[in-house]
Amino acid sequence: MLVPITVLLPVTAAVWIAAFGPGRRAAAVVSIAVTVATCMGCAVLAAVATFAPPSSIELTELVPPIGLVLRVDALGALFGLTVSLLYVPATLHAVGWLGNGPRRCAFLAVFLFCLGAMLLVAYAANLVTLLVGYELFSLVSVLLIIHRRTRRAFRAGFKYLVYVIPGGALALVGTVIVFFVADSVVFTPGGLTAMGQDDATLRLAWACLMFGFGVKAALFPLHGWVPDAHPAAPPPFSAILSGVMVATGVFAIVRVLYEIFGPVRLEALAVMPWLAVPAAIGVVVAGLLAVGEDELKRRLAYSTISQVGYATLAISLLEPGALTGALVHLANHAFIKGGLFFAVGAVAVHAGVHRVSELRGMGRRMPVTATLMTLLALALIGLPPLSGFIGKWLLVSGALQAGSGSALVVLLIGSVLAALYLWPVMRETWTPPPKPAPERCERRDGMLLAALLTGALVVLFGLGAALTGFPLALAGRAARLLAGGD
Amino acid sequence: MPDSVRLGEALLIALVLWPLVAALAVALLAASNRRGASALSVVGTGATLLLAFALFAFDGTATVRIPALLSVLELRADPAGLLFALVAAMVWFAVSVYSLGYLRDNPAADRLRVTSLVVLSGNLGVFVAGDWLSLLVFFEAFGLTGLLFVVHSGDAAARRAGVKYFWMTLLGGVALLAGIALLQQAAGTLALAPVPDGEAARWALLLMLVGFGVKAGMFGLHIWLPDAHSAAPAPASALLSGVMIKAGAYGIFRCFENFSADAGFGVALLCLGLAGMLVGAVAALAQRHAKRLLAWSSISQMGFILAAFGAAALAGPDGVSGRAAGLLHAFNHALFKSALFLAVGALVHAAGSANLDRLGGMHRRAPLLFVLLLVAAAGIVGLPPLNGFASKTMIHHALADLATRNEAFAVVEWGYYAASVGTAAMFVRLVQRLCAQPPADAPATSRMPVSMSLAVGMLAGLIVVAGLMPGLLTESLVLPALGVSAAAHDLDLLHHSLADRISPFVILLIGLAVARLADRFGLADRRPPAWLGVDGAFCGIGRAVLRACDRAARTAGQLRRGGLRRGVDTVALLRRGLATNWTDSARIAALGAGMRLPHDRVYRHLDQQRDRIIRHALVLAGRHGASVPGSRRAQIERLLDATRHYAGWLGTRLISGAVALDIEDALRLAHSDECCRHLAEQALAMAVTDVESGHEERAMALADDALAAVLGTGAEPSFGVVPARRGLHEMQSVLFHLIVDPMRRHWPVSESLARGAFASQMRGSLHRLARDPGAGLAFACVLLLVLTVLLIRA
């Protein structure tokens, strides 16, 4: 019963905000309360998933025998927890950023609706439910991208639609093919059993689904919308974009690979290199482009493409250790990248700085924000004992377990590139500015609070990663379940 | 007994956690009470020292597993780790006492103290780590935190040093990560236990040596050391040079303890150690900056340690003496290098400059510190009865044993002698400078704070004590670390023949001579060529990588903006090549490679000239049509059509002829009114002939002549006939033009394109399509479609 409530609560709140248009404080309080409640609900579900076997709840029936079915299992719980936990500081940030601006109720309403849709994706028990949630939030989030109504925002939104709509169509085509081949679209660990013998059809379905979800997952060469969408979108939504929306694509890919096709069948089809190679290229190329990019948000956007590419590369190795690493990395990356966007958003609003070359002396002007940015950048580089190190280590050892030396090399190159594009940010922040020294412009508002909260989470997830209920444990259990064990 | 076990575990956790707690307390206290904060930092380090002693006295091996990070963070107190932990705690305590005086007037003192405590925690964590992953965690954490030491003073030199330190530490960290992951693959576990041999194990050892070698200042990876250690403030330099680089040596020791390395690794380590010894000594002799001299000396001494480890690895099971020598020298070096840095730091602070030539007269201004510095210098040179003598002689014995075993390694012993002479020479030089005449504008003598002298005195005292009782150290620290019993090896290790006792003095004398020679030769003024240094190689690689990234970003930006255009410049190039029959390869190459060359400008001007020719021809044709009586509208239309067609064609041929000329001539033609008029009249004539009587060869010949006259060259044979104005041909041309860049319409194509409304429509939509967002997506879709097809086929 808790699952539908968790999914529908943000949607209801969104509808209420959109319909009644409450005042600034009321809207802020309601949204924060709703996100915190959703987060707690997801935490409870995560606890359930850790200790109990998966259980399904049917919502409605669309077309017999396909229905909207929800399910709580380790992978879904991990993803749902990540999304809802990141939404708490994101809502704080949004409230701080929106202030008294125009269309704030519309923004909050759509923002919360996206949360609900993403949770629908997380707790989906079959491919159709996942697709419904996926399409819903893909199409609705374009409203958030164009929120600022600038020309750049419109262009970015248009480009995003151009990528996402065909992607969604391809994903639907893939789903239909799967249904016709296998007579079922339910997520079964180890893959659907009755997939038939026709390799060509299976490959076609695989390709359609990978392209369809790969658009969202920023898989090279379908990543073109990412660098444009991030600077154009409002800062709270950029954080969600980078942190969880891109991860949703990878999440869908994991579900499809492991619970529709299954590792055994995938190895028989020999299609995984077609996923691994674009992912590897994406890691390196996006990293290189990030180094040359001056605008802060675009640099972080390329960084997202690169980091999520690690996860996709590891997933394509079809190895439980690598899968655990990929899932943990995605979960940790959500908070690190989200925090970075919060900090960068605060810097852009209060200090008017959008480029790395203008960052000089930020350490004096906004000390707390600058410290958080440095901390999060170090976490992204993979400094122990922060959370980025966990993902990095598991990915590296997973790649070695899978016996793939080239994946290891790509991961290491990506790691060095991450340092290469984050070092100038850190260096410029702490270089003393030329005289006369500009004054401090830090404000204690929702944005700072959001960044602090995320920073604390990053440190916590790093130090305490081994404790139960934290992402690592959930990811481990998820990997074991997906690989067909326990 | 369970109680003592628990006590041991508690001590271990306290050892690593207490400095962090102290750091937090100092940070909180610093805002309100500065003196309290500094006192608290001394208390913190003192308590850590006591904890280290307690652990040392604690009998047995305590192990602690903390559920943190990945699964478990394991700490283990075994003798090898405790040896390093003990010396680290001692040095840190002395440095914190020193800081009481040194940092009194420093505004950012508290930041330094807090950093120092955090780094202490990390450093101790490295030494008491119980498995490789915990070691990696502490190693990376304290390595990057040490960056704060290097950039503390905030000036440009410190920042540059910080950049090098950051990148070398990062790359070392990446290598170490890969190495330990490979080790896990090879051994199946991350415990500090012997690793079975194999391909993965060899790679793991190599990567781990690189990772630890960066920290240890191994030759080839040492480029960060001289800058970092001289840019940091004196107490931080003492910590960096004294203890932090020992973490690298500790790591290498553990590697060789657990890997069954083949001879190649031993030889490599030996050679690198030798190179470090010698290069460090020579470079130190050439320094003017007192702290850089000490930093290069650190590289040299670490070379001694690494050479000893290498010799031990080569000697196999008989390598006890080599490993013992390395460990003992690491212990001793921590003591005398930190004493040297602290003493020199105090003197530099008093003199106001680190330049050796300005440090004269210190023996009178700070006599106590000078004497203590002499003690430390004597220690590092290896004079008996100080501690350096025992460890250096042990190293000598290890290397000599290697030489007796294998004739090829005789050169190693000579290398040892040379490096020892170099060490003696560099410190003779330092002392000489300190005793020289004080410079004329020396700042007034101020009293040296007691705490500074006290700290250096503590370390000097330890040096003397350790020198007088070498057996104590060897028996209680070094041998247990190697897991061998005292009785079997003790006598061998500390047996010093008469030659051993005399050689340090001989070396000192030769060193005196070498120092004199170095000054005579002006070694300090000579700079080796930049390309010779390892430094240059690393910086060059870094710069090249950044340039590559920049170029990638620019190309991506252009691709995004130019879309389809960029990709088909090659098609245009091919067309151009066909037009000139590939004879003018130089120009084609220039055209292909340098679309941004002056030829671009020429084309644009010629293009404009062609437009002018067409317009002028149309004007002439209009007048002609109007002047001919009885001409109908349709006839005039046809005439205009034909004129445009021929004028365009002539213009195109003008362009293709003009680019074969020099740039100046081509530009002259492009701006020549006469040429324009001439060709326009020719076009009109051809059009009139065409409309009235159809296409004629003679007209073609006339055109050729006219062109030749204009171009001033021999008549270029017209390639084919003028393209006929037929619908199909127009369609062909339109399709071709869709692929060619509209901006480059001066490429030899039919002029009939210019008037096709269809064509201009297509051109417009091509422009729009080539910009966002079409190009990327279309390309992607096409590519993916192709991939899908291939996939299904496969």
Side-chain angles (χ1 to χ4, degrees), chain B residues 378-390:
Chain B
I380 202 172
V381 167
L383 296 177
L386 298 173
N387 61 355
F389 169 63

PDB file of all heavy atoms in Angstrom, chain B residues 378-390:
ATOM      1  N   ALA B 378      76.230  16.349  10.496  1.00  0.00           N
ATOM      2  CA  ALA B 378      77.170  15.244  10.708  1.00  0.00           C
ATOM      3  C   ALA B 378      76.450  13.912  10.650  1.00  0.00           C
ATOM      4  O   ALA B 378      76.975  12.921  10.130  1.00  0.00           O
ATOM      5  CB  ALA B 378      77.874  15.418  12.055  1.00  0.00           C
ATOM      6  N   GLY B 379      75.223  13.910  11.160  1.00  0.00           N
ATOM      7  CA  GLY B 379      74.452  12.675  11.109  1.00  0.00           C
ATOM      8  C   GLY B 379      74.184  12.247   9.696  1.00  0.00           C
ATOM      9  O   GLY B 379      74.336  11.083   9.312  1.00  0.00           O
ATOM     10  N   ILE B 380      73.774  13.199   8.872  1.00  0.00           N
ATOM     11  CA  ILE B 380      73.398  12.823   7.513  1.00  0.00           C
ATOM     12  C   ILE B 380      74.625  12.433   6.704  1.00  0.00           C
ATOM     13  O   ILE B 380      74.549  11.604   5.802  1.00  0.00           O
ATOM     14  CB  ILE B 380      72.569  13.949   6.843  1.00  0.00           C
ATOM     15  CG1 ILE B 380      71.741  13.373   5.692  1.00  0.00           C
ATOM     16  CG2 ILE B 380      73.439  15.062   6.358  1.00  0.00           C
ATOM     17  CD1 ILE B 380      70.766  14.360   5.113  1.00  0.00           C
ATOM     18  N   VAL B 381      75.757  13.035   7.021  1.00  0.00           N
ATOM     19  CA  VAL B 381      76.969  12.673   6.280  1.00  0.00           C
ATOM     20  C   VAL B 381      77.427  11.280   6.695  1.00  0.00           C
ATOM     21  O   VAL B 381      78.059  10.567   5.919  1.00  0.00           O
ATOM     22  CB  VAL B 381      78.070  13.733   6.533  1.00  0.00           C
ATOM     23  CG1 VAL B 381      79.407  13.243   6.051  1.00  0.00           C
ATOM     24  CG2 VAL B 381      77.696  15.026   5.860  1.00  0.00           C
ATOM     25  N   GLY B 382      77.075  10.888   7.917  1.00  0.00           N
ATOM     26  CA  GLY B 382      77.392   9.525   8.338  1.00  0.00           C
ATOM     27  C   GLY B 382      78.616   9.427   9.188  1.00  0.00           C
ATOM     28  O   GLY B 382      79.315   8.418   9.187  1.00  0.00           O
ATOM     29  N   LEU B 383      78.903  10.503   9.923  1.00  0.00           N
ATOM     30  CA  LEU B 383      80.074  10.453  10.790  1.00  0.00           C
ATOM     31  C   LEU B 383      79.758   9.677  12.059  1.00  0.00           C
ATOM     32  O   LEU B 383      78.696   9.883  12.641  1.00  0.00           O
ATOM     33  CB  LEU B 383      80.489  11.871  11.182  1.00  0.00           C
ATOM     34  CG  LEU B 383      80.958  12.784  10.041  1.00  0.00           C
ATOM     35  CD1 LEU B 383      81.267  14.155  10.590  1.00  0.00           C
ATOM     36  CD2 LEU B 383      82.180  12.201   9.377  1.00  0.00           C
ATOM     37  N   PRO B 384      80.660   8.779  12.476  1.00  0.00           N
ATOM     38  CA  PRO B 384      80.444   8.173  13.797  1.00  0.00           C
ATOM     39  C   PRO B 384      80.716   9.230  14.850  1.00  0.00           C
ATOM     40  O   PRO B 384      81.461  10.167  14.593  1.00  0.00           O
ATOM     41  CB  PRO B 384      81.485   7.041  13.827  1.00  0.00           C
ATOM     42  CG  PRO B 384      82.536   7.454  12.851  1.00  0.00           C
ATOM     43  CD  PRO B 384      81.863   8.290  11.817  1.00  0.00           C
ATOM     44  N   PRO B 385      80.206   9.203  16.036  1.00  0.00           N
ATOM     45  CA  PRO B 385      79.293   8.166  16.528  1.00  0.00           C
ATOM     46  C   PRO B 385      77.815   8.534  16.432  1.00  0.00           C
ATOM     47  O   PRO B 385      77.052   8.211  17.303  1.00  0.00           O
ATOM     48  CB  PRO B 385      79.696   8.079  17.994  1.00  0.00           C
ATOM     49  CG  PRO B 385      80.020   9.520  18.326  1.00  0.00           C
ATOM     50  CD  PRO B 385      80.563  10.157  17.081  1.00  0.00           C
ATOM     51  N   LEU B 386      77.418   9.232  15.366  1.00  0.00           N
ATOM     52  CA  LEU B 386      76.002   9.583  15.229  1.00  0.00           C
ATOM     53  C   LEU B 386      75.246   8.489  14.479  1.00  0.00           C
ATOM     54  O   LEU B 386      75.853   7.567  13.947  1.00  0.00           O
ATOM     55  CB  LEU B 386      75.865  10.917  14.495  1.00  0.00           C
ATOM     56  CG  LEU B 386      76.518  12.056  15.283  1.00  0.00           C
ATOM     57  CD1 LEU B 386      76.513  13.313  14.475  1.00  0.00           C
ATOM     58  CD2 LEU B 386      75.753  12.261  16.587  1.00  0.00           C
ATOM     59  N   ASN B 387      73.917   8.651  14.413  1.00  0.00           N
ATOM     60  CA  ASN B 387      73.110   7.519  13.951  1.00  0.00           C
ATOM     61  C   ASN B 387      73.283   7.238  12.465  1.00  0.00           C
ATOM     62  O   ASN B 387      73.122   6.108  12.023  1.00  0.00           O
ATOM     63  CB  ASN B 387      71.626   7.731  14.294  1.00  0.00           C
ATOM     64  CG  ASN B 387      71.065   8.979  13.616  1.00  0.00           C
ATOM     65  OD1 ASN B 387      71.781   9.728  12.970  1.00  0.00           O
ATOM     66  ND2 ASN B 387      69.778   9.186  13.792  1.00  0.00           N
ATOM     67  N   GLY B 388      73.633   8.282  11.700  1.00  0.00           N
ATOM     68  CA  GLY B 388      73.765   8.063  10.270  1.00  0.00           C
ATOM     69  C   GLY B 388      74.839   7.057   9.918  1.00  0.00           C
ATOM     70  O   GLY B 388      74.739   6.348   8.917  1.00  0.00           O
ATOM     71  N   PHE B 389      75.839   6.995  10.781  1.00  0.00           N
ATOM     72  CA  PHE B 389      76.962   6.108  10.515  1.00  0.00           C
ATOM     73  C   PHE B 389      76.471   4.662  10.420  1.00  0.00           C
ATOM     74  O   PHE B 389      76.795   3.944   9.468  1.00  0.00           O
ATOM     75  CB  PHE B 389      78.004   6.279  11.623  1.00  0.00           C
ATOM     76  CG  PHE B 389      79.075   5.246  11.589  1.00  0.00           C
ATOM     77  CD1 PHE B 389      79.929   5.153  10.504  1.00  0.00           C
ATOM     78  CD2 PHE B 389      79.234   4.350  12.634  1.00  0.00           C
ATOM     79  CE1 PHE B 389      80.912   4.204  10.457  1.00  0.00           C
ATOM     80  CE2 PHE B 389      80.229   3.393  12.592  1.00  0.00           C
ATOM     81  CZ  PHE B 389      81.074   3.317  11.516  1.00  0.00           C
ATOM     82  N   ALA B 390      75.690   4.251  11.419  1.00  0.00           N
ATOM     83  CA  ALA B 390      75.259   2.851  11.443  1.00  0.00           C
ATOM     84  C   ALA B 390      74.442   2.515  10.200  1.00  0.00           C
ATOM     85  O   ALA B 390      74.681   1.517   9.518  1.00  0.00           O
ATOM     86  CB  ALA B 390      74.431   2.584  12.703  1.00  0.00           C
TER      87      ALA B 390
END
